[in-house]
Amino acid sequence: MKEIVLSPELSRELAQVYSSMVARYDQVATDIGLSCQGCPDNCCDSYFLHHTYAEWAYLWEGLRELPEEKLEAIINRAKKYVEESRKKLLKKERPQLMCPLIDDGLCGLYKHRLLVCRMHGIPATMTRPDGQSMRFPGCFRCQEIVEEKYQREEDAPAMDRTSLFQQMVAVETKLLDEKRHLFPRVKLTIAEMIVQGPPAVATPHCER
Ligand code: SF4
Ligand code: SF4
C-alpha cells in the first residue's frame, strides 16, 4: 500500500479552503446571532460520514503532530467508537457517540477538524452540479433564532457552500492526480479514519 499524502502546497490550499469556510461561518453566525456558547447540545456526538481522501490525509497530518500517548488514547477511543457505532447501525439506530477527538470537552484537533465540523450549525445553501438548489436550516438552536427573528426562513442569511465544495473537489482531484474516479469512494466516520490509519492505495505487485 502506498500512503496518500498531501504535498505542502496542497495542504496549504486545503487550509485556505477551511479558513474561508470559517470566515463565512462566523459572518453568518454573527448576523443571525448564533453562538455555541452555553448551548445544551454538543454536536460532536453527531454521526457524520466524510468523503474525501484530502480531509482524511489532513486529519492524519494533525494526528502525527500529537504526543505519542495522546495519539494512543485517541486511537483507543476511536476503536471503541467504531465498535459501538457498528452495534447501533446493526440495530438500525443512528449512533450518537462522542467523537474520539474530544479531549476535556473540547476538540483535541481543532486546527485539523473536518469540513462538516466547520459548517454545521448555520443555514446554508448549495447549487448541485445538476443545477438543483438546496437549503439547509442549520442546527435546532439556529432554527429557533431564525423563527423568532425572521418572517420567512429564506430571509435569514445563509452560507453558500457551492464554491467551497468546488474548491474542496479541486484539492481532491489534484491529490488523486486527476484520477479521482479510479479510487474507491470514501465514506467514513472520523473514528474509522483514525482506526484505519492514513489513507493509502494498493500498489501493483510488479513495480518497475
Ligand atoms: S451548532 Fe448549534 S446545536 Fe451545535 S453546539 Fe452549536 S449552537 Fe449548539
Ligand atoms: S473533529 Fe473536533 S469538532 Fe469535529 S466532531 Fe470531532 S471533536 Fe468535534
Side-chain angles (χ1 to χ4, degrees):
M1 297 290 273
K2 184 170 175 273
E3 186 175 336
I4 300 173
V5 186
L6 287 163
S7 66
E9 297 75 41
L10 267 189
S11 180
R12 273 197 295 276
E13 200 175 319
L14 182 52
Q16 188 51 51
V17 179
Y18 281 149
S19 324
S20 311
M21 266 174 209
V22 172
R24 290 198 207 173
Y25 184 103
D26 287 347
Q27 188 59 58
V28 173
T30 305
D31 291 347
I32 289 178
L34 176 75
S35 162
C36 294
Q37 207 102 47
C39 178
D41 204 352
N42 183 337
C43 291
C44 297
D45 66 4
S46 308
Y47 184 76
F48 286 122
L49 293 169
H50 307 272
H51 300 282
T52 60
Y53 286 93
E55 288 210 282
W56 187 357
Y58 194 75
L59 180 80
W60 265 95
E61 250 184 42
L63 288 168
R64 283 196 166 118
E65 288 168 9
L66 295 174
E68 208 176 307
E69 57 298 353
K70 212 164 196 175
L71 178 58
E72 205 180 303
I74 288 173
I75 292 174
N76 287 334
R77 290 201 294 273
K79 283 181 182 163
K80 277 197 195 117
Y81 183 110
V82 171
E83 203 181 302
E84 289 304 312
S85 61
R86 284 191 184 150
K87 281 188 205 156
K88 294 266 178 199
L89 291 169
L90 277 175
K91 287 195 262 172
K92 307 257 181 270
E93 289 172 18
R94 192 177 174 83
Q96 195 179 5
L97 302 159
M98 198 48 80
C99 174
L101 292 173
I102 282 284
D103 192 9
D104 254 344
L106 295 172
C107 177
L109 211 65
Y110 197 69
K111 201 177 130 219
H112 288 262
R113 71 198 191 282
L114 306 196
L115 171 147
V116 175
C117 313
R118 296 165 199 258
M119 298 211 295
H120 182 70
I122 54 167
T125 56
M126 196 174 90
T127 308
R128 291 194 337 192
D130 63 6
Q132 200 188 320
S133 302
M134 300 167 85
R135 187 174 174 102
F136 308 92
C139 67
F140 85 93
R141 207 178 192 202
C142 181
Q143 289 178 47
E144 283 172 7
I145 299 173
V146 166
E147 210 182 304
E148 213 172 278
K149 249 176 116 169
Y150 301 91
Q151 218 160 29
R152 297 173 314 149
E153 191 193 318
E154 307 81 64
D155 295 337
M159 171 164 76
D160 186 5
R161 294 177 177 176
T162 316
S163 65
L164 294 167
F165 277 12
Q166 285 165 348
Q167 289 165 34
M168 186 62 92
V169 169
V171 172
E172 181 80 345
T173 305
K174 282 185 220 168
L175 176 66
L176 304 181
D177 204 16
E178 310 290 330
K179 298 189 186 91
R180 203 157 56 95
H181 57 290
L182 297 179
F183 285 76
R185 279 196 63 197
V186 175
K187 210 175 164 194
L188 298 170
T189 59
I190 288 175
E192 286 167 330
M193 287 178 168
I194 295 168
V195 172
Q196 289 191 24
V201 66
T203 44
H205 289 302
C206 315
E207 271 187 320
R208 279 166 198 256

